Amino acid sequence: MAAGGLSVLFCGINPGLMTAATGHHFARPGNRFWPVLHLSGFTPRQLRPDEQDELLSYGLGITNVVARATARADELTAEEYREGGRILVAKVERLAPRWLAVVGVTAYRTAFGEPKAAIGPQERLIGSTRVWALPNPSGLNAHWTAATMAEEYARLREAAGAPEA
């Protein structure tokens, strides 16, 4: 779910099994993407996964690094990440969002060959698109709470010049 002229294109790692079954990004009930997106001010209310198309009205979109659905991201190979990164670069060059937000720093490191990348804005540009690595909102990522993730997502929102919804 992406279009040209976006403020931020969020990029998940790959579809989980629930996402693959429903066709809706971040569909697993324990995933914190939708609550964090709202808490960070990107959306005026918490959207449900089946309302993902509403993101376009806020200048936001969603894609994935890897298209193959798995139960866990650690089932993906490094080559799948690298190939996904190449495909993602082509998509970003075509759509030219202001920001690409990769949701998962480990996925970013592997897909783009930047093993020392940290959460936050990256040096990399894809055409004129800036890149930001965000914490993974999966319930398996216990290092980040919804509140601390929302703070990081809000930093991106402010950098992107997106008004608080």
Side-chain angles (χ1 to χ4, degrees):
M1 192 204 78
L6 296 173
S7 176
V8 179
L9 177 59
F10 291 95
C11 182
I13 298 169
N14 74 310
L17 299 180
M18 181 77 73
T19 291
T22 64
H24 302 125
H25 291 272
F26 302 104
R28 187 173 180 85
N31 192 292
R32 299 170 290 179
F33 178 78
W34 298 104
V36 166
L37 205 62
H38 172 61
L39 289 170
S40 66
F42 272 111
T43 61
R45 64 180 178 82
Q46 184 176 320
L47 300 176
R48 297 183 317 267
D50 65 337
E51 296 175 310
Q52 67 187 15
D53 290 347
E54 285 188 36
L55 290 178
L56 293 174
S57 69
Y58 305 118
L60 308 173
I62 304 177
T63 192
N64 288 302
V65 175
V66 177
R68 182 169 72 92
T70 61
R72 294 174 51 109
D74 62 8
E75 296 174 37
L76 300 171
T77 67
E79 181 50 39
E80 284 178 293
Y81 278 110
R82 288 190 294 271
E83 178 61 19
R86 288 188 286 274
I87 292 167
L88 180 59
V89 164
K91 182 182 282 188
V92 169
E93 287 173 341
R94 187 176 76 253
L95 298 176
R98 277 191 298 231
W99 286 88
L100 170 67
V102 180
V103 180
V105 71
T106 302
Y108 176 80
R109 289 172 183 154
T110 307
F112 291 98
E114 295 189 20
K116 296 186 189 293
I119 295 292
Q122 306 301 306
E123 294 296 318
R124 172 183 297 273
L125 285 175
I126 301 172
S128 62
T129 300
R130 304 268 329 262
V131 180
W132 196 292
L134 288 170
N136 184 340
S138 166
L140 299 174
N141 183 3
H143 298 291
W144 290 80
T145 66
T148 57
M149 275 190 272
E151 290 172 9
E152 187 62 28
Y153 281 55
R155 285 184 50 214
L156 167 61
R157 182 184 50 73
E158 290 165 8
E164 185 164 0

